[in-house]
């Protein structure tokens, strides 16, 4: 006899950082290293949220969206959900391009601006948006003054 299951809820998983793992974000390079470790070699675009303590230590990482080869739909409510649940005052967001080219697209810049604006309303600062690849090469949209 075949069993049929009804999906009632899909739970979002947020990975908390273990106490002995200390990631501190002092620069775009630090953020890129963390992001590359978690998503650098993915075969699809993955949007990652790093939730930070007041001392810029990463308290949780959240794989917010998994997209396709060249896009990922990013909803601000999903990005900030992890930050709110972890009592974070700031976040660093990141994604990778499966092509390994870290050049930001116009859509990347627009999403960053929208997230920064939403963060202002919520009191959660978006410190940077980092585009990474598997070799930990990166582009900081903050450094490019894209937002």
């Amino acid at each position: 006899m075949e069993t049929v299951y009804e999906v009632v809820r899909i739970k979002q998983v947020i990975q908390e950082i273990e106490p002995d793992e200390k990631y501190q974000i002092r620069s775009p390079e630090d953020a890129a290293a963390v992001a590359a470790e978690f998503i650098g070699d993915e075969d699809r675009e993955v949007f990652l949220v790093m939730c930070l303590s007041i001392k810029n230590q990463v308290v949780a990482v959240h794989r917010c969206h998994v997209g396709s080869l060249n896009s990922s739909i990013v909803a601000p409510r999903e990005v900030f959900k992890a930050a709110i649940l972890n009592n974070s005052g700031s976040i660093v967001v990141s994604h990778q391009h499966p092509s390994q080219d870290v050049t930001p697209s116009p859509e990347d810049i627009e999403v960053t601006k929208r997230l920064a604006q939403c963060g202002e309303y919520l009191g959660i600062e978006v410190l940077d948006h980092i585009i990474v690849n598997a070799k930990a090469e990166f582009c900081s949209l903050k450094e490019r003054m894209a937002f």
Side-chain angles (χ1 to χ4, degrees):
M1 178 174 199
E2 190 174 324
T3 305
V4 177
Y5 295 97
E6 179 181 357
V7 176
V8 178
R9 184 180 119 165
I10 297 175
K11 184 179 178 185
Q12 202 171 32
V13 177
I14 298 169
Q15 180 177 348
E16 292 187 8
I17 303 298
E18 296 298 321
D20 58 329
E21 291 181 277
K22 297 289 185 204
Y23 298 109
Q24 188 164 18
I25 307 299
R26 293 182 215 94
S27 66
E29 290 83 8
D30 292 342
V34 173
E37 181 178 331
F38 283 95
I39 63 169
D41 61 352
E42 295 286 339
D43 64 348
R44 291 175 285 165
E45 279 201 12
V46 177
F47 199 86
L48 186 77
V49 179
M50 292 175 252
C51 302
L52 305 178
S53 71
I54 59 170
K55 294 184 178 186
N56 286 352
Q57 289 186 325
V58 179
V59 294
V61 291
H62 175 53
R63 293 169 61 97
C64 191
H65 298 279
V66 177
S68 64
L69 290 175
N70 62 353
S71 69
S72 178
I73 297 171
V74 178
R77 71 179 165 271
E78 298 300 325
V79 170
F80 289 101
K81 180 179 182 178
I84 291 167
L85 291 173
N86 283 282
N87 296 318
S88 297
S90 60
I91 60 173
V92 173
V93 296
S94 180
H95 77 282
Q96 99 306 348
H97 290 161
S99 68
Q100 301 299 308
D101 179 4
V102 296
T103 306
S105 68
E107 294 82 8
D108 293 337
I109 293 167
E110 279 306 307
V111 162
T112 305
K113 289 177 181 177
R114 193 172 81 221
L115 291 175
Q117 185 178 33
C118 291
E120 283 182 36
Y121 294 137
L122 293 170
I124 300 171
E125 186 179 3
V126 177
L127 297 179
D128 207 341
H129 181 170
I130 306 286
I131 302 171
V132 297
N133 66 19
K135 297 178 270 185
E137 296 170 335
F138 71 94
C139 173
S140 162
L141 273 72
K142 186 74 156 195
E143 284 184 341
R144 284 189 171 217
M145 306 209 343
F147 72 104

